[in-house]
C-alpha cells in the first residue's frame, strides 16, 4: 500500500512540474508568439482520465482454481506535444485485481512514453505511444499451485495505440489500447493489456 502511495506521489509531482512548465511556456508565448521553436504552445499540453478493462496474460498454475482474466482498470496521465506530431506523456495505471492460482494478483505502475499523433482532419487524431513502465505486482497463491507468491517491481517496455475525437476547443474523447510488460515474483515477466475510454483537457 505504501508503494502505491509513493507511485501516486511521484505522479502528482510530475504532473505539477509539467503544468508549471506548460504555464511558463504559455506566458512566454505572449511576448514571443512568432517563435516556432517553443516546446509547447498553449493547447498542446493535456491532462486525462481513462477507465476500462485490463487483460492479465497469465497462467493459472496447476490444479483447478478460479481464474479471472481481467478487472476494472483506470489511468491518469499528463502530456505535452513538442509539435503537431510528437511529444511525451507520464501516467499512473491501476490494472485492478484478478483471482488466480488460489489467490489474487494485482498490479499498478508509472509510465513514461514518447507519444505520436497523426491528425485526420480538424477533430480526429490517430495516437501511438512507446515507452517504459515502472510497475509493482503483488501475487498470492495456494500451496502447490506452481505460481510463485510475492511482490516484485521494476521497469518494462510499453506501447499503445488509440484514437482521439475533439468535441470542444479544450476537451476530447480518447479510445486507447496499451500493453505493459511487468515483472513478477520468481523472476518471471509478462504483459498486461488495458483497453480504456477517457477524456482529455487541453491547456
Amino acid at each position: 500500500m505504501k508503494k502505491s502511495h509513493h507511485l501516486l506521489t511521484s505522479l502528482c509531482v510530475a504532473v505539477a512540474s509539467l503544468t508549471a512548465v506548460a504555464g511558463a511556456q504559455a506566458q512566454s508565448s505572449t511576448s514571443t508568439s512568432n517563435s516556432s521553436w517553443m516546446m509547447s504552445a498553449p493547447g498542446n499540453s493535456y491532462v486525462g482520465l481513462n477507465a476500462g478493462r485490463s487483460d492479465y496474460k497469465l497462467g493459472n498454475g496447476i490444479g483447478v482454481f478460479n481464474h479471472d482474466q481481467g478487472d476494472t482498470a483506470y489511468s491518469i496521465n499528463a502530456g505535452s506535444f513538442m509539435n503537431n506530431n510528437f511529444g511525451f506523456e507520464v501516467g499512473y495505471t491501476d490494472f485492478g485485481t484478478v483471482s488466480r492460482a488460489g489467490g489474487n494478483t494485482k498490479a499498478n505502475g508509472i509510465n513514461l512514453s514518447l507519444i505520436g499523433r497523426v491528425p485526420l482532419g480538424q477533430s480526429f487524431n490517430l495516437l501511438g505511444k512507446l515507452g517504459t513502465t515502472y510497475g509493482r505486482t503483488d501475487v498470492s497463491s495456494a500451496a502447490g499451485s506452481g505460481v510463485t507468491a510475492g511482490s516484485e517491481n521494476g521497469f518494462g517496455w510499453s506501447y499503445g495505440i488509440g484514437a482521439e475525437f475533439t468535441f470542444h476547443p479544450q476537451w476530447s474523447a480518447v479510445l486507447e489500447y496499451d500493453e505493459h510488460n511487468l515483472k513478477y515474483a520468481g523472476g518471471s515477466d509478462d504483459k498486461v493489456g488495458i483497453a480504456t475510454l477517457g477524456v482529455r483537457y487541453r491547456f
Side-chain angles (χ1 to χ4, degrees):
M1 192 70 178
K2 290 183 178 179
K3 291 286 187 179
S4 298
H5 289 164
H6 291 327
L7 289 174
L8 284 170
T9 300
S10 299
L11 178 62
C12 289
V13 171
V15 170
S17 299
L18 181 62
T19 303
V21 170
Q25 289 169 344
Q27 185 177 17
S28 174
S29 67
T30 59
S31 59
T32 59
S33 58
N34 294 325
S35 298
S36 60
W37 51 265
M38 286 183 62
M39 181 178 177
S40 174
N44 279 349
S45 298
Y46 64 86
V47 291
L49 174 64
N50 290 44
R53 184 79 176 175
S54 61
D55 180 16
Y56 282 79
K57 305 179 186 297
L58 298 169
N60 198 32
I62 302 170
V64 180
F65 300 104
N66 290 333
H67 187 194
D68 297 333
Q69 194 66 36
D71 190 22
T72 300
Y74 71 88
S75 64
I76 54 176
N77 50 69
S80 184
F81 282 92
M82 297 175 285
N83 54 45
N84 285 336
N85 300 110
F86 297 103
F88 61 91
E89 180 183 278
V90 61
Y92 169 82
T93 300
D94 186 326
F95 299 97
T97 302
V98 295
S99 297
R100 60 183 282 265
N104 294 313
T105 296
K106 60 182 179 179
N108 55 59
I110 287 180
N111 174 261
L112 179 63
S113 293
L114 296 175
I115 51 177
R117 175 176 62 186
V118 179
L120 297 179
Q122 292 184 337
S123 301
F124 190 76
N125 300 310
L126 294 181
L127 307 172
K129 64 174 70 173
L130 179 65
T132 183
T133 298
Y134 183 79
R136 175 180 172 82
T137 60
D138 292 288
V139 178
S140 61
S141 60
S145 67
V147 172
T148 303
S151 300
E152 188 59 83
N153 53 69
F155 286 96
W157 54 264
S158 64
Y159 68 89
I161 56 174
E164 178 184 28
F165 176 71
T166 301
F167 57 87
H168 182 275
Q170 290 181 290
W171 290 93
S172 62
V174 181
L175 179 66
E176 292 184 291
Y177 178 78
D178 302 310
E179 285 198 347
H180 304 257
N181 203 54
L182 304 180
K183 299 183 181 301
Y184 294 87
S188 65
D189 62 273
D190 218 321
K191 294 183 291 184
V192 179
I194 175 173
T196 60
L197 180 64
V199 292
R200 285 181 177 178
Y201 174 77
R202 296 199 301 270
F203 56 92

